[in-house]
Amino acid sequence: MDVPNELSYTKDHEWLLVDGDIGTIGITDYAQSELGDVVYVELPEESSDFSQGDAFGSLESVKAVSEIFMPVDGEVVEINEDLEDSPELVNDDPYNNGWLVRIRLADPDQVDELMSAEEYEQYVKEESQ
């Protein structure tokens, strides 16, 4: 399981990379492996506002449809349009080309509430026991 140190994580298996007031969001390597082959990605429209914990889209895999949850409050400023034609990027490269949306953070202090890479790895170990 790949868990990059520079990212923050949620208990719903999303990751967040913060650069200034912009956050990039995706799902973790663990989440994509649990889902199986992603065949369709539903993402919100740009300029949509979400609160922490809101479902903002879904991933359809060969196993199931799973909602994706917003790690922090924010406004969607960009969606990964490459996923429309290539949803398999979520499986192939979840931390780079498989990112989902970029948001403008409404409350940067919420990032402190998310888990570090070490905490996330421990969480996954405990959850899978």
Side-chain angles (χ1 to χ4, degrees):
M1 178 175 71
D2 187 19
V3 184
N5 284 329
E6 67 274 21
L7 305 178
S8 299
Y9 299 89
T10 71
K11 290 183 175 180
D12 295 313
H13 307 286
E14 288 87 15
W15 56 261
L16 174 71
L17 174 65
V18 176
D19 182 13
D21 66 343
I22 301 296
T24 302
I25 298 168
I27 66 164
T28 66
D29 185 44
Y30 173 79
Q32 68 79 22
S33 69
E34 289 294 302
L35 276 173
D37 293 337
V38 174
V39 295
Y40 181 75
V41 179
E42 181 181 342
L43 296 174
E45 294 189 16
E46 292 179 4
S47 302
S48 302
D49 289 313
F50 292 93
S51 297
Q52 187 176 41
D54 286 351
F56 69 89
S58 63
L59 299 172
E60 184 177 337
S61 72
V62 294
K63 292 181 179 177
V65 176
S66 299
E67 291 187 311
I68 321 161
F69 299 98
M70 191 60 70
V72 293
D73 296 353
E75 175 191 357
V76 175
V77 295
E78 185 178 359
I79 62 169
N80 186 350
E81 294 179 1
D82 292 341
L83 298 178
E84 188 172 315
D85 294 328
S86 304
E88 69 276 6
L89 290 172
V90 173
N91 294 111
D92 295 343
D93 195 10
Y95 296 116
N96 295 297
N97 293 325
W99 63 277
L100 301 172
V101 297
R102 292 197 168 104
I103 63 168
R104 184 173 317 284
L105 303 174
D107 181 2
D109 290 341
Q110 289 178 319
V111 177
D112 296 336
E113 300 169 15
L114 302 176
M115 291 184 279
S116 67
E118 185 177 316
E119 291 167 333
Y120 179 71
E121 284 181 297
Q122 185 64 35
Y123 173 74
V124 170
K125 279 184 190 171
E126 291 171 5
E127 189 180 60
S128 59
Q129 288 179 355

